[in-house]
Amino acid sequence: MRALVAGGAGFLGAHLCDRLLQKGYHVTAVDNLSTGFLENIASLENHNNFQFIRHDICSSLHLEVDEIYNLACPASPVHYQSDPLQTLRTNIMGSMNLLELAKENGAKIMQASTSEVYGDPLVHPQKELYWGNVNPMGQRSCYDEGKRCAETFFYEYHKQKNVDIRVVRVFNTYGPKMHPNDGRVISNFIIQALRNAPLTVYGKGLQTRSFCYVDDLIRGIMAFNDLQETCDFPVNLGNPEEFTVLELAQFIIELTNSRSKIVFCPLPQDDPQKRRPDISLAKKILGWQPIVPLKEGLLRTISYFDTELSYAQPNVVV
């Protein structure tokens, strides 16, 4: 099987490439390296069944493939808000180009959508049938609405052009290979704690999140892709265990034995107050649920960042 992973040098994409290679796929990773890093796939570069192409999916692509995984879009507010128009183009034009490629090849295609399609939800936990509460003019709208529009493209390509689609709504995911400066809460807290710097908590830290370790997420993606029948509906993938941001900050300080203190900053616009997936559908049709506890996943991620920081900031003897 020949797989194309768009965003293959990113956090999730690199893990997915590795898993596909383990399953015997021929894998082509495509990335424009705007937020992805070649270091994420350095261990794969000598694999006989792996190739990397530097390419922006906003331009058309012509390859012979059997499966396509679209993970190509900045996923953290710091990055997707830095160029909102490019974020929209990636979600909309990029999705259309990959869907056209799937149609040309008769290939199966998966869209990595997001829990952000639910916005600041008025329903808790969030089921796939919930339409969301999204501000179309806010700071996050380029990502939220871009992903919502991308989903619509997928459903319409299935209905009108008979493309075999999968749409996963990814909830907060963490683990090794995260960008240290991507602005997401777990990477922020771990970096700050390892440096004994203040942990920046927005608002009072009472907003809740659910955190899924990357291995669990990739396992869910593979299980969804392995379904024989096409699925013209989205499936939530995430960990339903819910924590406040303040609880997370305190836990990371404890796990890192950090001297960091917690400081409180103004809450950003449209920051969701609650975020927790209902994964009943994933359990039913995939037999999937996360198995890595938060403590274990955080310890692995802390170890990764500790190593990365030691390389970036070698000790100097004065």
Side-chain angles (χ1 to χ4, degrees):
M1 295 291 286
R2 300 161 298 180
L4 170 67
V5 180
F11 164 47
L12 296 182
H15 282 278
L16 180 57
C17 286
D18 186 48
R19 182 71 184 112
L20 288 167
L21 288 169
Q22 290 176 30
K23 290 191 69 174
Y25 279 71
H26 292 262
V27 177
T28 299
V30 170
D31 204 300
N32 67 359
L33 300 181
S34 61
T35 57
F37 287 92
L38 291 177
E39 289 85 349
N40 284 342
I41 52 175
S43 62
L44 309 178
E45 62 183 5
N46 293 323
H47 198 293
N48 291 334
N49 291 339
F50 179 77
Q51 68 169 331
F52 172 76
I53 300 174
R54 185 167 184 173
H55 179 82
D56 191 327
I57 62 167
C58 291
S59 299
S60 60
L61 187 66
H62 301 282
L63 292 170
E64 292 185 358
V65 293
D66 302 299
E67 296 179 2
I68 301 170
Y69 299 81
N70 183 19
L71 285 73
C73 184
S76 68
V78 169
H79 290 147
Y80 66 66
Q81 291 173 11
S82 67
D83 191 344
L85 289 176
Q86 181 60 23
T87 299
L88 283 165
R89 281 191 290 267
T90 300
N91 278 312
I92 297 170
M93 296 171 60
S95 293
M96 187 170 65
N97 286 331
L98 293 179
L99 284 160
E100 281 293 321
L101 181 62
K103 180 172 70 70
E104 292 170 8
N105 283 271
K108 184 187 302 184
I109 182 168
M110 176 174 287
Q111 164 70 358
S113 189
T114 173
S115 60
E116 293 291 338
V117 301
Y118 300 120
D120 187 6
L122 304 178
V123 171
H124 190 75
Q126 292 80 58
K127 291 178 176 285
E128 290 87 351
L129 293 178
Y130 176 52
W131 291 355
N133 177 40
V134 176
N135 176 4
M137 300 181 293
Q139 292 179 344
R140 306 168 76 101
S141 61
C142 60
Y143 184 70
D144 301 357
E145 297 288 30
K147 287 289 190 178
R148 287 160 69 96
C149 186
E151 284 197 20
T152 303
F153 265 110
F154 270 70
Y155 304 137
E156 292 303 326
Y157 262 78
H158 170 66
K159 287 185 285 187
Q160 296 185 38
K161 301 176 185 291
N162 201 33
V163 174
D164 187 356
I165 66 166
R166 308 283 189 277
V167 175
V168 295
R169 290 178 177 167
V170 177
F171 281 68
N172 294 63
T173 306
Y174 70 100
K177 298 188 178 181
M178 292 183 79
H179 192 299
N181 299 316
D182 75 356
R184 282 181 274 194
V185 64
I186 282 185
S187 55
N188 274 0
F189 284 173
I190 291 176
I191 294 294
Q192 290 166 343
L194 290 173
R195 290 173 171 167
N196 294 305
L199 269 65
T200 50
V201 170
Y202 295 99
K204 296 181 180 180
L206 301 181
Q207 62 271 44
T208 66
R209 296 292 185 268
S210 304
F211 302 103
C212 185
Y213 188 67
V214 63
D215 288 358
D216 282 333
L217 180 78
I218 298 301
R219 186 169 48 82
I221 286 175
M222 298 302 296
F224 194 15
N225 188 69
D226 287 345
L227 288 184
Q228 294 303 307
E229 65 275 14
T230 190
C231 303
D232 58 345
F233 51 84
V235 173
N236 288 338
L237 291 181
N239 193 321
E241 289 189 337
E242 189 175 10
F243 301 87
T244 68
V245 171
L246 187 57
E247 287 173 333
L248 177 70
Q250 293 166 337
F251 195 27
I252 287 177
I253 288 174
E254 175 187 335
L255 292 177
T256 55
N257 295 311
S258 177
R259 300 189 301 275
S260 295
K261 305 298 182 183
I262 294 174
V263 297
F264 296 90
C265 302
L267 196 66
Q269 181 189 33
D270 299 324
D271 189 63
Q273 290 305 296
K274 289 183 179 292
R275 183 65 58 75
R276 178 190 173 200
D278 184 312
I279 61 169
S280 301
L281 185 58
K283 287 181 177 180
K284 178 180 178 180
I285 68 171
L286 307 180
W288 175 89
Q289 62 182 353
I291 58 175
V292 179
L294 182 63
K295 180 178 181 179
E296 181 179 340
L298 285 177
L299 286 173
R300 295 180 193 176
T301 310
I302 289 166
S303 176
Y304 168 79
F305 278 122
D306 196 22
T307 301
E308 290 295 298
L309 288 179
S310 69
Y311 284 132
Q313 298 178 326
N315 292 325
V316 178
V317 178
V318 179

